[in-house]
């Protein structure tokens, strides 16, 4: 790889110091260049009388400065533009065909890199505005405000948790040996639906839906939801928060049903108004992730064992973990504002 060329000012300084009878070692020290470089410059001047470098060999640059700007402009307008599309556009404009590698080099020179686009939920304009308004309104709330909230939600817990990809040491031709493979089942081998709550001070109750429905199903309607609230809210706020509390719940139809709203109004509970399509704001989603991560080390074989393991894992979540997640609300809201209301979850 070639080193960086010396400027004409440095080359002229070498000649000036040489005329002053300075030795090569001293010239190299003064100008902070290699002795071999000083010797080469002096020899070149003596042999050719020139200081400028000869033109370097290689294929001439195929794009002009204007063409480079056009490439960057096309990618700025549409980041999903492919190198072939850029080439076709330039060929139509200036009649020059450019290779994909040349286009990629021009983009790399401007700090662009080809990356896999992250998949995020589609949030409509109305909900983006609601998320932005919520974030701006609550950004400066004190820590005690968030500590007084009881966070609630429902989650699905699969019998067989997804462990993701695993590395394994094996020899060639043994890929399908049982001891070198992991197991998978269709539809996760069964699952349970659970309602749960938590606060900064720790986790609350984990309620399995099929334990409270009359037909032992996991389908929850407004009536089942009201039964859970009636049995669990007062119990958990006394344990986790105290007398002054606020309940957070999302805009699921079970939560916003007229009967549910009348029930909450009769109880005189204060509800945190929550923007739709905002799971990335709810710290209980992260607590559910902790729960499912802990379940990966368990090996339940039926739903009853899964429930018992889930309750134990839920209770093992530390207060420090829930407190850290709740106290991260400020950074979550800042992220929503920075992303102009789009989701920051994925």
């Amino acid at each position: 790889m070639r080193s960086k060329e010396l400027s004409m000012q440095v080359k002229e300084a070498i000649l000036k110091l040489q005329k002053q009878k300075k030795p090569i070692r001293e010239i190299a020290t003064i100008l902070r260049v290699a002795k071999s470089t000083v010797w080469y410059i002096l020899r070149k001047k003596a042999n050719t009388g020139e200081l400028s470098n000869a033109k370097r060999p290689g294929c001439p640059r195929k794009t002009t400065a204007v063409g480079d700007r056009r490439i960057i402009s096309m990618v700025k307008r549409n980041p999903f533009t492919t190198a072939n599309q850029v080439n076709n556009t330039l060929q139509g404009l200036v009649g020059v065909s450019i290779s994909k590698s040349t286009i990629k080099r021009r983009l790399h020179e401007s700090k662009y890199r080809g990356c896999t686009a992250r998949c995020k939920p589609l949030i409509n304009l109305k909900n983006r505005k609601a998320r932005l308004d919520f974030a701006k309104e609550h950004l400066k709330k004190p820590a005690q405000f968030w500590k007084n909230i009881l966070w609630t939600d429902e989650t699905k817990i699969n019998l067989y948790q997804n462990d993701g990809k695993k590395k394994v040491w094996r020899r060639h031709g043994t890929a399908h040996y049982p001891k070198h493979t992991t197991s998978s089942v269709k539809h996760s081998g069964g699952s349970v639906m659970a309602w749960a709550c938590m606060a900064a001070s720790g986790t609350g109750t984990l309620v399995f839906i099929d334990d409270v429905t009359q037909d032992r199903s996991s389908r929850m309607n407004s009536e089942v939801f009201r039964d859970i609230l009636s049995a669990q809210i007062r119990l958990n706020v006394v344990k986790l928060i105290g007398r002054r509390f606020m309940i957070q719940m999302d805009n699921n139809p079970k939560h916003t049903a007229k009967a549910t709203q009348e029930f909450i109004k009769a109880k005189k509970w204060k509800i945190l108004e929550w923007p739709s399509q905002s799971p990335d704001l709810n710290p209980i989603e992260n607590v559910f992730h902790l729960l499912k991560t802990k379940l990966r080390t368990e090996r339940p074989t039926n739903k009853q064992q899964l429930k018992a393991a889930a309750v134990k894992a839920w209770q093992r979540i530390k207060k420090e973990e829930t407190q850290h997640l709740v106290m991260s609300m400020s950074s979550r809201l800042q992220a929503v504002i920075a992303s102009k209301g789009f989701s920051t979850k994925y």
Side-chain angles (χ1 to χ4, degrees), residues 49-63:
E50 295 289 336
L51 286 177
S52 59
N53 289 323
K55 187 176 180 181
R56 292 194 176 189
C59 182
R61 193 179 179 95
K62 204 162 189 179
T63 60

Side-chain angles (χ1 to χ4, degrees), residues 140-238:
K140 301 298 182 182
K141 292 289 185 183
Q144 191 58 46
F145 175 84
W146 302 113
K147 289 181 180 179
N148 288 343
I149 293 177
L150 185 73
W151 306 87
T152 71
D153 205 358
E154 298 86 35
T155 189
K156 180 182 178 183
I157 306 173
N158 293 324
L159 183 59
Y160 293 97
Q161 300 297 316
N162 179 17
D163 291 328
K165 293 183 178 180
K166 286 187 175 180
K167 296 286 186 179
V168 61
W169 291 103
R170 63 174 178 81
R171 289 192 172 96
H172 180 71
T174 63
H176 299 288
Y177 284 18
K179 66 179 182 180
H180 295 155
T181 61
T182 58
S183 300
S184 64
V185 293
K186 288 187 177 180
H187 313 299
S188 303
S191 62
V192 293
M193 286 294 298
W195 175 94
C197 62
M198 52 82 69
S201 56
T203 56
T205 310
L206 188 69
V207 180
F208 298 104
I209 308 303
D210 59 358
D211 289 342
V212 295
T213 54
Q214 292 182 354
D215 58 358
R216 309 297 292 177
S217 71
S218 292
R219 292 188 297 273
M220 185 168 69
N221 54 27
S222 176
E223 182 181 358
V224 174
F225 181 63
R226 295 196 304 273
D227 290 341
I228 292 174
L229 294 182
S230 181
Q232 300 298 332
I233 293 297
R234 182 59 61 181
L235 175 69
N236 283 282
V237 295
V238 169

